[in-house]
Amino acid sequence: DAKTTQPNSMESNEEEPVHLPCNHSTISGTDYIHWYRQLPSQGPEYVIHGLTSNVNNRMASLAIAEDRKSSTLILHRATLRDAAVYYCILRDGGATNKLIFGTGTLLAVQP
Amino acid sequence: NAGVTQTPKFRILKIGQSMTLQCTQDMNHNYMYWYRQDPGMGLKLIYYSVGAGITDKGEVPNGYNVSRSTTEDFPLRLELAAPSQTSVYFCASSYSAGFEAFFGQGTRLTVV
């Protein structure tokens, strides 16, 4: 299973943009890049995913490097509710479709 | 639309007891997963299934068993519970890697 590397923690100020990086140098051609977040005492929640092109949705944007060895989750205006652990996951697009979590980035948002 | 439903939400087991954690989804997803999350840690994959009748081990399968007789249900069985199995258990389901995964609200299990 391909691995991802994320910073253990990051801090942001409320209403400012946040860029959460993820390195995945061993990504294969069939791996999708997924991001999930986990708020305190809750189950993981889907944020966004992509394969090769940048993606936008109502929650965030995903910027994928041209060589696909890294990606960045962008929260355009952080709110206190965005304080969570953010997981970058490579999801095998082959037979197993396994979803393996790493250690994630703990995002703190200051008012 | 109920999504992924886990029961029970909380359970206390004595050492050596057995129990089944239930997981059901109403989205007709082929892929289903069981995870455990120890306090302050990330999620670890226990077992997964790519469809009815097909299951496989994840990262930490010891002490657990699963079955997948229908598309909707994916129960996780704990035999001979041990304190090391004290954790929060999450079930998830998805169409495939190109789609989002949906998670249940979790089952908090304490083994004493």
Side-chain angles (χ1 to χ4, degrees):
Chain A
D1 300 314
K3 300 286 187 192
T4 62
T5 304
Q6 300 177 252
N8 287 334
S9 62
M10 291 184 64
E11 250 188 41
S12 173
N13 294 318
E14 201 175 7
E15 298 190 7
E16 289 187 357
V18 182
H19 290 235
L20 296 163
C22 181
N23 287 317
H24 28 79
S25 58
T26 60
I27 190 170
S28 74
T30 58
D31 285 342
Y32 285 80
I33 302 162
H34 281 242
W35 284 82
Y36 291 80
R37 72 180 185 182
Q38 189 174 24
L39 281 64
S41 301
Q42 294 192 25
E45 172 188 35
Y46 169 80
V47 178
I48 199 165
H49 78 281
L51 184 61
T52 57
S53 304
N54 295 344
V55 184
N56 300 297
N57 66 19
R58 63 173 180 79
M59 287 182 70
S61 295
L62 177 60
I64 301 173
E66 198 168 331
D67 64 5
R68 300 214 315 134
K69 294 186 177 182
S70 65
S71 61
T72 302
L73 178 69
I74 302 165
L75 306 179
H76 296 287
R77 285 179 75 239
T79 69
L80 297 178
R81 194 194 172 278
D82 291 323
V85 178
Y86 286 79
Y87 296 98
C88 168
I89 299 165
L90 296 184
R91 189 154 181 216
D92 170 27
T96 69
N97 275 223
K98 279 195 287 188
L99 198 62
I100 302 289
F101 283 75
T103 53
T105 297
L106 176 61
L107 175 67
V109 180
Q110 304 300 327
Chain B
N1 194 353
V4 178
T5 303
Q6 290 183 238
T7 56
K9 287 187 171 49
F10 304 93
R11 183 73 185 268
I12 297 174
L13 273 185
K14 293 185 178 178
I15 294 171
Q17 287 185 322
S18 301
M19 77 164 293
T20 299
L21 282 68
Q22 301 291 347
C23 175
T24 188
Q25 51 92 7
D26 62 357
M27 297 171 282
N28 202 33
H29 288 164
N30 282 332
Y31 299 89
M32 296 188 74
Y33 311 86
W34 272 107
Y35 297 88
R36 60 176 286 172
Q37 186 172 33
D38 298 337
M41 306 295 284
L43 282 79
K44 292 292 187 185
L45 181 65
I46 306 171
Y47 270 95
Y48 67 99
S49 170
V50 302
I54 306 170
T55 62
D56 206 348
K57 297 177 180 178
E59 303 170 281
V60 291
N62 291 343
Y64 307 93
N65 278 301
V66 292
S67 59
R68 185 95 182 271
S69 56
T70 67
T71 298
E72 296 77 19
D73 300 306
F74 190 39
L76 177 71
R77 178 83 178 159
L78 277 74
E79 305 283 0
L80 300 174
S84 61
Q85 293 177 305
T86 293
S87 193
V88 180
Y89 292 82
F90 291 101
C91 179
S93 75
S94 171
Y95 277 123
S96 71
F99 294 85
E100 67 182 283
F102 294 82
F103 286 79
Q105 287 304 298
T107 294
R108 187 174 298 274
L109 176 67
T110 302
V111 182
V112 295

